[in-house]
Amino acid sequence: MGVIAVGPLFIISGPSGSGKSTIVARLLAMQDLRLRQSISATTRPPREAERHGQHYFFVSEDEFRSMIERNEFLEWAEVHGQRYGTIRRVVDEWRSQGWGVVLVIDVQGAQRVRQICPDAVTIFVRTSSPTILEQRLRNRGSESESAIQRRLVNAQGELARASEFDYQVLNDDLDRAVAEIRSIILAQITEDAKHA
Ligand code: 5GP
């Protein structure tokens, strides 16, 4: 029986302000990696520059509940007081087409996906000091003061679980962090090719 080739699954987590979205945007632009980012559903209202179906599928609490009932999520979690969920169909379809799929999700989601998909490669992005996180959150200018405070408190909880991940990548320097994750991804692609 032949082995069915599926694209690799990467999970990228890290506190708000760790720069994980910026890193992932750079990686997606590298054609040779053949990566796609899974678009999650969320009950969080869109930020000004965010588009439905591009950054997230923005749904109501009721819609989110129905999606849970219909078993549409690979995982879902409550993060910073809102619900976020990975849509199973999107991930399965792309992986079966040979795309590598990146999930940018929180530590709870990472734990659940690791249980369901033990082949997932998990990466935690961090900064060397909490001050950098705070600066980045403030520079972003998209969150209220109370939302910033909540995200900083949650960052402590996320950092405490960093050791559960396969890799921890320091993002004090963006180019270095991107290069490091790129080599993790390339190593996985090479490894999968050996077994295909
Ligand atoms: P933001 O509101 O800044 O876009 O995301 C807040 C947090 O929710 C981030 O840590 C992000 O990684 C996480 N997140 C986004 N989508 C999902 C998802 O589908 N599942 C889980 N568990 N977390 C998610």
Tab-separated table of all heavy atoms in Angstrom, residues 12-18 20-21 37-42 44-45 47 50 55-56 58 64 73 75-80 82-87 103-110 112-113 137 140 142-143 151 158, ligand 1:
chain	number	residue	atom	x	y	z
A	12	ILE	N	2.320	27.691	15.402
A	12	ILE	CA	3.130	28.791	15.928
A	12	ILE	C	2.325	29.520	16.998
A	12	ILE	O	1.220	30.005	16.743
A	12	ILE	CB	3.574	29.741	14.795
A	12	ILE	CG1	4.358	28.910	13.756
A	12	ILE	CG2	4.412	30.907	15.352
A	12	ILE	CD1	5.171	29.671	12.768
A	13	SER	N	2.869	29.530	18.208
A	13	SER	CA	2.221	30.216	19.327
A	13	SER	C	3.198	31.213	19.925
A	13	SER	O	4.395	31.176	19.634
A	13	SER	CB	1.829	29.221	20.422
A	13	SER	OG	0.921	28.278	19.957
A	14	GLY	N	2.670	32.053	20.788
A	14	GLY	CA	3.530	33.025	21.473
A	14	GLY	C	2.645	34.137	21.979
A	14	GLY	O	1.534	34.325	21.481
A	15	PRO	N	3.121	34.868	22.974
A	15	PRO	CA	2.297	35.937	23.532
A	15	PRO	C	1.948	36.995	22.498
A	15	PRO	O	2.664	37.154	21.500
A	15	PRO	CB	3.172	36.544	24.631
A	15	PRO	CG	4.388	35.728	24.725
A	15	PRO	CD	4.444	34.791	23.578
A	16	SER	N	0.879	37.703	22.758
A	16	SER	CA	0.475	38.831	21.934
A	16	SER	C	1.622	39.847	21.925
A	16	SER	O	2.132	40.211	22.984
A	16	SER	CB	-0.759	39.453	22.601
A	16	SER	OG	-1.566	40.062	21.685
A	17	GLY	N	2.068	40.251	20.737
A	17	GLY	CA	3.180	41.193	20.650
A	17	GLY	C	4.517	40.499	20.431
A	17	GLY	O	5.548	41.153	20.278
A	18	SER	N	4.508	39.151	20.385
A	18	SER	CA	5.778	38.433	20.171
A	18	SER	C	6.226	38.535	18.717
A	18	SER	O	7.373	38.213	18.397
A	18	SER	CB	5.649	36.962	20.584
A	18	SER	OG	4.640	36.339	19.817
A	20	LYS	N	4.584	36.998	16.092
A	20	LYS	CA	4.370	35.762	15.329
A	20	LYS	C	3.664	36.003	13.996
A	20	LYS	O	4.015	35.379	12.994
A	20	LYS	CB	3.671	34.692	16.167
A	20	LYS	CG	2.368	35.133	16.809
A	20	LYS	CD	1.931	34.137	17.869
A	20	LYS	CE	0.543	34.430	18.388
A	20	LYS	NZ	0.367	35.743	19.041
A	21	SER	N	2.724	36.932	13.955
A	21	SER	CA	2.006	37.190	12.687
A	21	SER	C	2.944	37.764	11.634
A	21	SER	O	2.857	37.407	10.453
A	21	SER	CB	0.860	38.174	12.895
A	21	SER	OG	0.072	37.768	13.961
A	37	GLN	N	-1.498	29.635	5.518
A	37	GLN	CA	-1.934	29.837	6.897
A	37	GLN	C	-3.423	29.536	7.008
A	37	GLN	O	-4.222	30.026	6.202
A	37	GLN	CB	-1.681	31.283	7.339
A	37	GLN	CG	-2.083	31.506	8.791
A	37	GLN	CD	-1.801	32.915	9.278
A	37	GLN	OE1	-1.189	33.712	8.579
A	37	GLN	NE2	-2.256	33.219	10.475
A	38	SER	N	-3.757	28.725	7.979
A	38	SER	CA	-5.171	28.418	8.199
A	38	SER	C	-5.883	29.672	8.708
A	38	SER	O	-5.344	30.397	9.538
A	38	SER	CB	-5.256	27.289	9.229
A	38	SER	OG	-6.510	27.268	9.828
A	39	ILE	N	-7.053	29.928	8.173
A	39	ILE	CA	-7.823	31.095	8.623
A	39	ILE	C	-8.854	30.612	9.639
A	39	ILE	O	-9.686	29.757	9.331
A	39	ILE	CB	-8.509	31.782	7.423
A	39	ILE	CG1	-7.441	32.212	6.405
A	39	ILE	CG2	-9.332	32.988	7.885
A	39	ILE	CD1	-7.994	32.449	5.017
A	40	SER	N	-8.768	31.151	10.845
A	40	SER	CA	-9.637	30.719	11.933
A	40	SER	C	-10.942	31.487	11.944
A	40	SER	O	-11.043	32.558	11.336
A	40	SER	CB	-8.943	30.954	13.275
A	40	SER	OG	-7.784	30.184	13.395
A	41	ALA	N	-11.903	30.959	12.677
A	41	ALA	CA	-13.126	31.720	12.961
A	41	ALA	C	-12.947	32.380	14.324
A	41	ALA	O	-12.295	31.817	15.203
A	41	ALA	CB	-14.327	30.788	12.988
A	42	THR	N	-13.481	33.566	14.496
A	42	THR	CA	-13.418	34.226	15.811
A	42	THR	C	-14.666	35.066	16.071
A	42	THR	O	-15.284	35.562	15.129
A	42	THR	CB	-12.169	35.131	15.943
A	42	THR	OG1	-12.146	35.684	17.273
A	42	THR	CG2	-12.148	36.286	14.964
A	44	ARG	N	-14.177	37.686	17.954
A	44	ARG	CA	-13.602	39.028	18.183
A	44	ARG	C	-13.996	39.949	17.026
A	44	ARG	O	-13.962	39.533	15.876
A	44	ARG	CB	-12.066	38.923	18.275
A	44	ARG	CG	-11.392	40.288	18.215
A	44	ARG	CD	-9.928	40.283	18.522
A	44	ARG	NE	-9.008	39.814	17.514
A	44	ARG	CZ	-8.804	40.376	16.315
A	44	ARG	NH1	-9.550	41.392	15.887
A	44	ARG	NH2	-7.886	39.891	15.495
A	45	PRO	N	-14.352	41.206	17.343
A	45	PRO	CA	-14.673	42.137	16.252
A	45	PRO	C	-13.429	42.444	15.415
A	45	PRO	O	-12.318	42.447	15.950
A	45	PRO	CB	-15.152	43.408	16.961
A	45	PRO	CG	-14.977	43.204	18.409
A	45	PRO	CD	-14.486	41.816	18.678
A	47	ARG	N	-10.395	44.287	13.549
A	47	ARG	CA	-9.659	45.551	13.665
A	47	ARG	C	-9.806	46.274	12.333
A	47	ARG	O	-10.212	45.667	11.340
A	47	ARG	CB	-8.181	45.285	13.941
A	47	ARG	CG	-7.943	44.600	15.268
A	47	ARG	CD	-6.461	44.364	15.516
A	47	ARG	NE	-6.268	43.547	16.702
A	47	ARG	CZ	-5.456	42.493	16.778
A	47	ARG	NH1	-4.734	42.123	15.738
A	47	ARG	NH2	-5.345	41.810	17.899
A	50	GLU	N	-8.550	44.679	9.090
A	50	GLU	CA	-8.797	43.240	8.919
A	50	GLU	C	-10.009	42.970	8.032
A	50	GLU	O	-11.003	43.685	8.091
A	50	GLU	CB	-9.006	42.575	10.292
A	50	GLU	CG	-7.720	42.471	11.075
A	50	GLU	CD	-7.909	41.805	12.426
A	50	GLU	OE1	-9.022	41.897	13.000
A	50	GLU	OE2	-6.960	41.207	12.936
A	55	HIS	N	-8.132	37.592	7.194
A	55	HIS	CA	-7.447	37.476	8.482
A	55	HIS	C	-8.157	36.441	9.362
A	55	HIS	O	-7.524	35.626	10.022
A	55	HIS	CB	-7.404	38.831	9.173
A	55	HIS	CG	-6.630	39.834	8.389
A	55	HIS	ND1	-7.212	40.652	7.451
A	55	HIS	CD2	-5.306	40.117	8.367
A	55	HIS	CE1	-6.281	41.403	6.898
A	55	HIS	NE2	-5.116	41.099	7.428
A	56	TYR	N	-9.447	36.542	9.409
A	56	TYR	CA	-10.291	35.609	10.168
A	56	TYR	C	-11.635	35.520	9.458
A	56	TYR	O	-11.969	36.382	8.636
A	56	TYR	CB	-10.587	36.166	11.576
A	56	TYR	CG	-9.462	36.064	12.585
A	56	TYR	CD1	-8.741	37.201	12.962
A	56	TYR	CD2	-9.151	34.851	13.195
A	56	TYR	CE1	-7.713	37.121	13.903
A	56	TYR	CE2	-8.129	34.773	14.142
A	56	TYR	CZ	-7.416	35.907	14.485
A	56	TYR	OH	-6.410	35.826	15.419
A	58	PHE	N	-14.994	36.322	10.724
A	58	PHE	CA	-15.580	36.977	11.897
A	58	PHE	C	-17.035	36.528	12.024
A	58	PHE	O	-17.838	36.775	11.115
A	58	PHE	CB	-15.480	38.497	11.756
A	58	PHE	CG	-14.046	38.977	11.733
A	58	PHE	CD1	-13.406	39.246	10.532
A	58	PHE	CD2	-13.325	39.123	12.912
A	58	PHE	CE1	-12.074	39.667	10.497
A	58	PHE	CE2	-11.995	39.539	12.889
A	58	PHE	CZ	-11.369	39.814	11.682
A	64	PHE	N	-20.681	30.792	16.070
A	64	PHE	CA	-19.556	30.025	16.607
A	64	PHE	C	-20.082	28.769	17.307
A	64	PHE	O	-19.556	27.669	17.114
A	64	PHE	CB	-18.726	30.892	17.575
A	64	PHE	CG	-17.331	30.370	17.802
A	64	PHE	CD1	-16.253	30.868	17.081
A	64	PHE	CD2	-17.086	29.364	18.728
A	64	PHE	CE1	-14.955	30.379	17.281
A	64	PHE	CE2	-15.808	28.869	18.941
A	64	PHE	CZ	-14.737	29.379	18.208
A	73	PHE	N	-14.726	22.362	14.103
A	73	PHE	CA	-13.416	22.821	14.571
A	73	PHE	C	-12.471	21.664	14.869
A	73	PHE	O	-12.857	20.667	15.482
A	73	PHE	CB	-13.570	23.668	15.832
A	73	PHE	CG	-14.229	24.996	15.590
A	73	PHE	CD1	-15.382	25.358	16.278
A	73	PHE	CD2	-13.703	25.900	14.668
A	73	PHE	CE1	-15.996	26.590	16.060
A	73	PHE	CE2	-14.312	27.130	14.438
A	73	PHE	CZ	-15.459	27.469	15.135
A	75	GLU	N	-9.910	22.408	16.714
A	75	GLU	CA	-9.810	22.835	18.117
A	75	GLU	C	-10.408	24.211	18.206
A	75	GLU	O	-10.483	24.918	17.211
A	75	GLU	CB	-8.343	22.858	18.588
A	75	GLU	CG	-7.436	23.874	17.869
A	75	GLU	CD	-7.650	25.327	18.236
A	75	GLU	OE1	-7.919	25.624	19.407
A	75	GLU	OE2	-7.564	26.186	17.329
A	76	TRP	N	-10.841	24.576	19.403
A	76	TRP	CA	-11.227	25.963	19.631
A	76	TRP	C	-10.918	26.312	21.080
A	76	TRP	O	-10.781	25.413	21.918
A	76	TRP	CB	-12.701	26.227	19.290
A	76	TRP	CG	-13.683	25.542	20.191
A	76	TRP	CD1	-14.209	24.291	20.009
A	76	TRP	CD2	-14.219	26.048	21.419
A	76	TRP	NE1	-15.051	23.984	21.060
A	76	TRP	CE2	-15.076	25.047	21.937
A	76	TRP	CE3	-14.072	27.233	22.139
A	76	TRP	CZ2	-15.773	25.206	23.135
A	76	TRP	CZ3	-14.766	27.401	23.340
A	76	TRP	CH2	-15.609	26.392	23.806
A	77	ALA	N	-10.766	27.589	21.363
A	77	ALA	CA	-10.434	28.006	22.729
A	77	ALA	C	-10.917	29.428	22.960
A	77	ALA	O	-11.169	30.179	22.006
A	77	ALA	CB	-8.918	27.952	22.937
A	78	GLU	N	-11.043	29.753	24.250
A	78	GLU	CA	-11.345	31.132	24.602
A	78	GLU	C	-10.020	31.812	24.919
A	78	GLU	O	-9.244	31.314	25.740
A	78	GLU	CB	-12.271	31.168	25.805
A	78	GLU	CG	-12.932	32.513	25.949
A	78	GLU	CD	-14.079	32.481	26.930
A	78	GLU	OE1	-14.953	31.593	26.815
A	78	GLU	OE2	-14.081	33.356	27.821
A	79	VAL	N	-9.737	32.907	24.221
A	79	VAL	CA	-8.471	33.621	24.401
A	79	VAL	C	-8.788	35.111	24.577
A	79	VAL	O	-9.522	35.676	23.761
A	79	VAL	CB	-7.548	33.462	23.161
A	79	VAL	CG1	-6.142	33.987	23.456
A	79	VAL	CG2	-7.482	32.028	22.672
A	80	HIS	N	-8.228	35.722	25.590
A	80	HIS	CA	-8.461	37.150	25.881
A	80	HIS	C	-9.975	37.468	25.865
A	80	HIS	O	-10.391	38.495	25.338
A	80	HIS	CB	-7.768	38.069	24.872
A	80	HIS	CG	-6.350	37.714	24.539
A	80	HIS	ND1	-5.407	37.433	25.496
A	80	HIS	CD2	-5.714	37.611	23.352
A	80	HIS	CE1	-4.250	37.164	24.901
A	80	HIS	NE2	-4.415	37.256	23.607
A	82	GLN	N	-12.399	36.161	24.103
A	82	GLN	CA	-13.131	35.901	22.849
A	82	GLN	C	-12.878	34.454	22.437
A	82	GLN	O	-11.935	33.836	22.902
A	82	GLN	CB	-12.618	36.823	21.728
A	82	GLN	CG	-12.770	38.294	22.008
A	82	GLN	CD	-14.208	38.793	21.882
A	82	GLN	OE1	-15.090	38.076	21.408
A	82	GLN	NE2	-14.444	40.008	22.321
A	83	ARG	N	-13.725	33.953	21.537
A	83	ARG	CA	-13.534	32.576	21.081
A	83	ARG	C	-12.841	32.558	19.722
A	83	ARG	O	-13.134	33.395	18.860
A	83	ARG	CB	-14.874	31.864	20.976
A	83	ARG	CG	-15.428	31.535	22.333
A	83	ARG	CD	-16.819	31.004	22.209
A	83	ARG	NE	-17.201	30.329	23.429
A	83	ARG	CZ	-18.244	29.519	23.529
A	83	ARG	NH1	-19.015	29.284	22.483
A	83	ARG	NH2	-18.543	28.953	24.674
A	84	TYR	N	-11.950	31.583	19.572
A	84	TYR	CA	-11.202	31.414	18.323
A	84	TYR	C	-11.192	29.919	18.003
A	84	TYR	O	-11.004	29.102	18.902
A	84	TYR	CB	-9.740	31.851	18.488
A	84	TYR	CG	-9.505	33.304	18.804
A	84	TYR	CD1	-9.619	33.785	20.104
A	84	TYR	CD2	-9.136	34.194	17.801
A	84	TYR	CE1	-9.368	35.120	20.397
A	84	TYR	CE2	-8.875	35.540	18.089
A	84	TYR	CZ	-9.010	35.993	19.394
A	84	TYR	OH	-8.758	37.301	19.689
A	85	GLY	N	-11.344	29.551	16.731
A	85	GLY	CA	-11.310	28.126	16.395
A	85	GLY	C	-10.699	27.848	15.035
A	85	GLY	O	-10.867	28.618	14.083
A	86	THR	N	-9.959	26.736	14.972
A	86	THR	CA	-9.345	26.290	13.714
A	86	THR	C	-10.351	25.449	12.941
A	86	THR	O	-10.895	24.479	13.486
A	86	THR	CB	-8.106	25.416	14.016
A	86	THR	OG1	-7.223	26.158	14.849
A	86	THR	CG2	-7.405	25.003	12.732
A	87	ILE	N	-10.593	25.808	11.699
A	87	ILE	CA	-11.600	25.103	10.900
A	87	ILE	C	-10.973	23.856	10.264
A	87	ILE	O	-10.040	23.941	9.465
A	87	ILE	CB	-12.201	26.050	9.838
A	87	ILE	CG1	-12.846	27.243	10.557
A	87	ILE	CG2	-13.209	25.326	8.961
A	87	ILE	CD1	-13.199	28.402	9.668
A	103	LEU	N	-0.688	26.966	11.657
A	103	LEU	CA	-1.735	27.436	12.563
A	103	LEU	C	-1.103	28.437	13.520
A	103	LEU	O	-0.139	28.096	14.201
A	103	LEU	CB	-2.313	26.288	13.392
A	103	LEU	CG	-2.770	25.022	12.689
A	103	LEU	CD1	-3.329	24.034	13.716
A	103	LEU	CD2	-3.825	25.352	11.650
A	104	VAL	N	-1.622	29.651	13.549
A	104	VAL	CA	-1.130	30.630	14.523
A	104	VAL	C	-2.181	30.685	15.624
A	104	VAL	O	-3.202	31.369	15.491
A	104	VAL	CB	-0.907	32.013	13.873
A	104	VAL	CG1	-0.317	32.990	14.893
A	104	VAL	CG2	0.028	31.886	12.678
A	105	ILE	N	-1.958	29.878	16.658
A	105	ILE	CA	-2.987	29.699	17.688
A	105	ILE	C	-2.367	29.788	19.082
A	105	ILE	O	-1.152	29.804	19.225
A	105	ILE	CB	-3.725	28.343	17.509
A	105	ILE	CG1	-2.762	27.172	17.610
A	105	ILE	CG2	-4.455	28.313	16.167
A	105	ILE	CD1	-3.435	25.805	17.457
A	106	ASP	N	-3.234	29.839	20.110
A	106	ASP	CA	-2.705	30.021	21.460
A	106	ASP	C	-2.231	28.676	22.040
A	106	ASP	O	-2.384	27.634	21.403
A	106	ASP	CB	-3.765	30.689	22.350
A	106	ASP	CG	-4.707	29.675	22.953
A	106	ASP	OD1	-5.173	28.778	22.217
A	106	ASP	OD2	-4.947	29.747	24.172
A	107	VAL	N	-1.683	28.728	23.256
A	107	VAL	CA	-1.079	27.522	23.840
A	107	VAL	C	-2.109	26.414	24.120
A	107	VAL	O	-1.782	25.233	24.017
A	107	VAL	CB	-0.293	27.838	25.149
A	107	VAL	CG1	0.971	28.613	24.851
A	107	VAL	CG2	-1.145	28.571	26.142
A	108	GLN	N	-3.349	26.797	24.445
A	108	GLN	CA	-4.381	25.774	24.682
A	108	GLN	C	-4.684	25.033	23.383
A	108	GLN	O	-4.775	23.806	23.343
A	108	GLN	CB	-5.694	26.405	25.160
A	108	GLN	CG	-5.585	27.376	26.307
A	108	GLN	CD	-6.889	28.162	26.458
A	108	GLN	OE1	-7.901	27.606	26.873
A	108	GLN	NE2	-6.891	29.443	26.103
A	109	GLY	N	-4.832	25.810	22.304
A	109	GLY	CA	-5.103	25.221	20.992
A	109	GLY	C	-3.948	24.331	20.551
A	109	GLY	O	-4.155	23.245	20.003
A	110	ALA	N	-2.723	24.794	20.826
A	110	ALA	CA	-1.537	24.016	20.439
A	110	ALA	C	-1.560	22.655	21.129
A	110	ALA	O	-1.281	21.629	20.517
A	110	ALA	CB	-0.270	24.786	20.816
A	112	ARG	N	-4.175	20.976	22.208
A	112	ARG	CA	-5.221	20.096	21.640
A	112	ARG	C	-4.797	19.541	20.295
A	112	ARG	O	-4.982	18.358	20.015
A	112	ARG	CB	-6.537	20.871	21.484
A	112	ARG	CG	-7.084	21.190	22.831
A	112	ARG	CD	-8.569	21.455	22.848
A	112	ARG	NE	-8.857	21.987	24.166
A	112	ARG	CZ	-9.212	23.237	24.416
A	112	ARG	NH1	-9.395	24.082	23.424
A	112	ARG	NH2	-9.403	23.642	25.644
A	113	VAL	N	-4.238	20.386	19.444
A	113	VAL	CA	-3.859	19.910	18.106
A	113	VAL	C	-2.737	18.876	18.223
A	113	VAL	O	-2.719	17.883	17.495
A	113	VAL	CB	-3.450	21.080	17.182
A	113	VAL	CG1	-2.979	20.553	15.830
A	113	VAL	CG2	-4.606	22.045	16.989
A	137	LEU	N	2.765	46.014	21.531
A	137	LEU	CA	1.303	46.111	21.642
A	137	LEU	C	0.861	47.569	21.568
A	137	LEU	O	-0.138	47.898	20.930
A	137	LEU	CB	0.832	45.508	22.966
A	137	LEU	CG	0.668	43.993	22.993
A	137	LEU	CD1	0.306	43.522	24.391
A	137	LEU	CD2	-0.406	43.562	22.015
A	140	ARG	N	1.246	49.051	18.037
A	140	ARG	CA	0.208	48.549	17.140
A	140	ARG	C	-1.014	49.468	17.178
A	140	ARG	O	-1.703	49.638	16.182
A	140	ARG	CB	-0.154	47.136	17.598
A	140	ARG	CG	-0.828	46.302	16.594
A	140	ARG	CD	-0.483	44.839	16.792
A	140	ARG	NE	-1.336	44.209	17.796
A	140	ARG	CZ	-1.210	42.944	18.177
A	140	ARG	NH1	-0.276	42.183	17.660
A	140	ARG	NH2	-2.002	42.433	19.081
A	142	SER	N	-3.926	49.108	18.216
A	142	SER	CA	-5.228	48.554	17.829
A	142	SER	C	-6.070	48.145	19.035
A	142	SER	O	-7.244	47.851	18.900
A	142	SER	CB	-5.037	47.356	16.895
A	142	SER	OG	-4.188	46.405	17.498
A	143	GLU	N	-5.457	48.157	20.219
A	143	GLU	CA	-6.180	47.653	21.384
A	143	GLU	C	-6.407	48.750	22.421
A	143	GLU	O	-5.595	49.668	22.553
A	143	GLU	CB	-5.370	46.540	22.049
A	143	GLU	CG	-5.923	45.163	21.818
A	143	GLU	CD	-5.514	44.592	20.484
A	143	GLU	OE1	-4.418	44.918	19.996
A	143	GLU	OE2	-6.297	43.829	19.927
A	151	ARG	N	-3.854	41.252	27.734
A	151	ARG	CA	-2.916	40.497	26.897
A	151	ARG	C	-1.566	40.323	27.601
A	151	ARG	O	-0.918	39.290	27.473
A	151	ARG	CB	-2.758	41.179	25.534
A	151	ARG	CG	-3.921	40.836	24.614
A	151	ARG	CD	-4.010	41.673	23.367
A	151	ARG	NE	-5.226	41.326	22.636
A	151	ARG	CZ	-5.275	40.605	21.515
A	151	ARG	NH1	-4.173	40.200	20.963
A	151	ARG	NH2	-6.429	40.304	20.944
A	158	GLU	N	1.187	32.159	29.025
A	158	GLU	CA	1.682	31.518	27.802
A	158	GLU	C	3.173	31.188	27.951
A	158	GLU	O	3.608	30.092	27.627
A	158	GLU	CB	1.467	32.433	26.596
A	158	GLU	CG	-0.007	32.771	26.367
A	158	GLU	CD	-0.465	32.551	24.934
A	158	GLU	OE1	0.316	32.819	24.025
A	158	GLU	OE2	-1.613	32.102	24.750
B	1	5GP	P1	-5.653	38.210	17.944
B	1	5GP	O1	-6.931	38.654	18.595
B	1	5GP	O2	-4.495	39.058	18.362
B	1	5GP	O3	-5.788	38.046	16.454
B	1	5GP	O4	-5.344	36.736	18.502
B	1	5GP	C1	-5.339	36.504	19.877
B	1	5GP	C2	-4.816	35.117	20.192
B	1	5GP	O5	-5.690	34.113	19.677
B	1	5GP	C3	-3.451	34.824	19.575
B	1	5GP	O6	-2.642	34.173	20.546
B	1	5GP	C4	-3.770	33.875	18.466
B	1	5GP	O7	-2.678	33.031	18.191
B	1	5GP	C5	-4.933	33.115	19.041
B	1	5GP	N1	-5.726	32.442	18.014
B	1	5GP	C6	-6.044	32.882	16.768
B	1	5GP	N2	-6.765	31.971	16.107
B	1	5GP	C7	-6.899	30.905	16.942
B	1	5GP	C8	-7.529	29.628	16.825
B	1	5GP	O8	-8.127	29.261	15.825
B	1	5GP	N3	-7.461	28.801	17.909
B	1	5GP	C9	-6.812	29.154	19.066
B	1	5GP	N4	-6.790	28.276	20.052
B	1	5GP	N5	-6.196	30.348	19.204
B	1	5GP	C10	-6.245	31.209	18.160
